[in-house]
Amino acid sequence: MCGILAVLGCSDSQAKRVRVLELSRRLKHRGPDWSGLYQHGDCYLAHQRLAIIDPASGDQPLFNEDKSVAVTVNGEIYNHEELRKKLVNHKFRTGSDCDVIAHLYEEYGEDFVDMLDGIFSFVLLDTRDNSYIVARDAIGVTSLYIGWGLDGSVWIASELKGLNDDCEHFESFPPGHLYSSKSGGFRRWYNPPWFSEVTPSVPYDPLVLRRAFENAVIKRLMTDVPFGVLLSGGLDSSLVASITARYLAGTKAAKQWGSQLHSFCVGLEGSPDLKAAREVADYLGTVHHEFHFTVQDGIDAIEDVIYHIETYDVTTIRASTPMFLMSRKIKSLGVKMVMSGEGSDEIFGGYLYFHKAPNKDEFHQETCRKIKALHLYDCLRANKATSAWGLEARVPFLDKEFINVAMAIDPESKMINKDEGRIEKWVLRRAFDDENHPYLPKHILYRQKEQFSDGVGYSWIDGLKAHAAAHVTDKMMLNASNIFPHNTPTTKEAYYYRMIFERFFPQNSARLTVPGGASVACSTAKAVEWDATWKNNLDPSGRAALGVHLSAYDAETPFNNKPSKIVESIPLMTEIPGVAIHG
């Protein structure tokens, strides 16, 4: 992931140029390979490059033939070769996948954005009339913020820290939207059928789903630098690794870097993820890298994590910390890109609270809500935890075409049904349950969902709670609503994170960029209504799904108090054909 910063319509002065350079350097971790700055009158485009495609000549900003259109981009355009074929009358200066953007604008005007297949945030400046457009990818895999200065300027940055000190107001740039200076506002360019949340009715076809996901993974093997896969040993990352290993041979990447895949996992000593990941790596024959951290290592990194991730959301910080630590290790090995499994749980209802969905309509609407909020949670974590160390994460589950296929399936097929032996994400598991050419061992293919912050080791969350309890007093909690009237922290852990966040980002606009509301096991506030007992046991851990998770919290133990007692839950089902279920 690169870092972009644009200041548009500001005062034209040497002091402003110096300030833009200073702010751009705050994003240098995102792009350590090159820094670029372009100025045209009162508009500045700055770029910090992480070179993945065409490292030799793809420096930015990028231009059209006569340099009348300039663009700074963060992202990857997977269909850039197909788009180049449509632009036969254009000459390209570089082999960069992002080079097509300026030329598409020349050919199609502002309506070209939906033609891009990939992840991106960009600012495009047309010097002929000093107009500009800003756009962000469909789901918000790349991070982006917009702000406004008192002098009438518009600011765009990949991270809050690029604009929070200089804008009167700023906010998260909405995914799937375009901002045009000509209209002076936003419009949504991403309008898929599922966005209306109307319940779909396409019959489930496992082979159609399988092929769509394989295509999503294959197109992301486009790289000119060493890469690998994040492998937790859960279903999602294991499928990504399996497909990558299966199709890597014969790709350009394999010719450059070899056909043996590298995989990476992080966890506390003896954690569930480490064990499962090791087994999957052995099965797939990957070169496996296992990184260990201690609870203290994680606690020591919390301030850096909050500075880079730019949130005070408890779930996100819990999961970001091990990913942050792992990304540093991965980058030290010379790897610059990794494949990751984010998005599957939102699309297929994989979180354990989906067991309580009352009907298929509610089930589908919750998946829609979860996908729409991904840019505030898992996408934000995956993007910023890796970018903190100059590493790029690619997420095939959030491929536009794959989402269209998966979200068109009649949600009746996605629902958990113990009488029919269907656990969470059954449609995905069944699609890759190939007896003749197996993708994964059966017990991995049907492994119960573990949220990342749980899977790295249960004592991680318990250790965080204990640490927060030692630093936040009961008296502080009594005054929490006066100190933090917006999104008031309800636990000591949340209060602890909030204090750190406010130190780095004290502006009111900053605290408004972070979502809030009741949640259990990563649910939206609406889904909390599915079970009356949840409102008294709110916690983002998967163990909050009482009666579902195999190591659930004790129902009598308050979630926001001391470290939780772990008990065996009531087994949800006793048998899946060919799969042993504990309990």
Side-chain angles (χ1 to χ4, degrees), residues 295-352:
V295 172
Q296 190 60 53
D297 291 334
I299 289 171
D300 291 343
I302 288 293
E303 291 204 11
D304 286 339
V305 168
I306 293 174
Y307 174 76
H308 281 285
I309 308 301
E310 302 179 323
T311 188
Y312 51 81
D313 176 67
V314 171
T315 318
T316 306
I317 294 169
R318 286 177 175 181
S320 293
T321 304
M323 196 171 194
F324 177 86
L325 296 172
M326 175 172 56
S327 296
R328 186 177 192 176
K329 293 282 191 179
I330 292 172
K331 187 58 186 292
S332 73
L333 298 175
V335 173
K336 297 177 75 173
M337 184 271 282
V338 289
M339 305 279 271
S340 191
E342 276 75 20
S344 173
D345 292 311
E346 286 73 15
I347 294 169
F348 295 105
Y351 292 108
L352 298 184

Side-chain angles (χ1 to χ4, degrees), residues 235-236 344-345 348-356 363 413-418 421-430 444-451 545 548-550 572-573 576 581:
L235 173 68
D236 307 328
S344 173
D345 292 311
F348 295 105
Y351 292 108
L352 298 184
Y353 72 89
F354 274 93
H355 282 254
K356 298 294 184 76
F363 188 105
S413 300
K414 293 182 180 180
M415 291 188 70
I416 294 91
N417 188 324
K418 63 181 179 179
R422 296 198 329 226
I423 63 173
E424 67 278 353
K425 292 188 287 193
W426 175 84
V427 292
L428 182 63
R429 301 175 196 272
R430 177 67 186 87
I444 295 292
L445 192 61
Y446 289 95
R447 182 189 176 200
Q448 186 182 66
K449 163 69 183 172
E450 286 280 10
Q451 287 160 213
V548 176
H549 196 284
L550 297 178
L572 180 72
M573 62 194 74
I576 295 176
I581 298 293

Side-chain angles (χ1 to χ4, degrees), residues 401-473:
E401 294 176 20
F402 176 71
I403 291 176
N404 286 342
V405 171
M407 291 301 288
I409 297 172
D410 187 332
E412 186 68 41
S413 300
K414 293 182 180 180
M415 291 188 70
I416 294 91
N417 188 324
K418 63 181 179 179
D419 294 331
E420 296 180 13
R422 296 198 329 226
I423 63 173
E424 67 278 353
K425 292 188 287 193
W426 175 84
V427 292
L428 182 63
R429 301 175 196 272
R430 177 67 186 87
F432 288 92
D433 194 349
D434 188 329
E435 295 287 350
N436 296 321
H437 304 284
Y439 287 77
L440 295 168
K442 284 273 192 181
H443 63 283
I444 295 292
L445 192 61
Y446 289 95
R447 182 189 176 200
Q448 186 182 66
K449 163 69 183 172
E450 286 280 10
Q451 287 160 213
F452 186 47
S453 54
D454 285 335
V456 296
Y458 297 135
S459 58
W460 166 234
I461 291 176
D462 296 335
L464 285 174
K465 290 181 176 182
H467 178 75
H471 288 78
V472 178
T473 65

Side-chain angles (χ1 to χ4, degrees), residues 66 72 247 258 282 353 380 444 449 485 567 575:
D66 63 4
T72 180
Y247 290 100
D282 289 343
Y353 72 89
L380 181 142
I444 295 292
K449 163 69 183 172
V567 298
E575 186 177 353

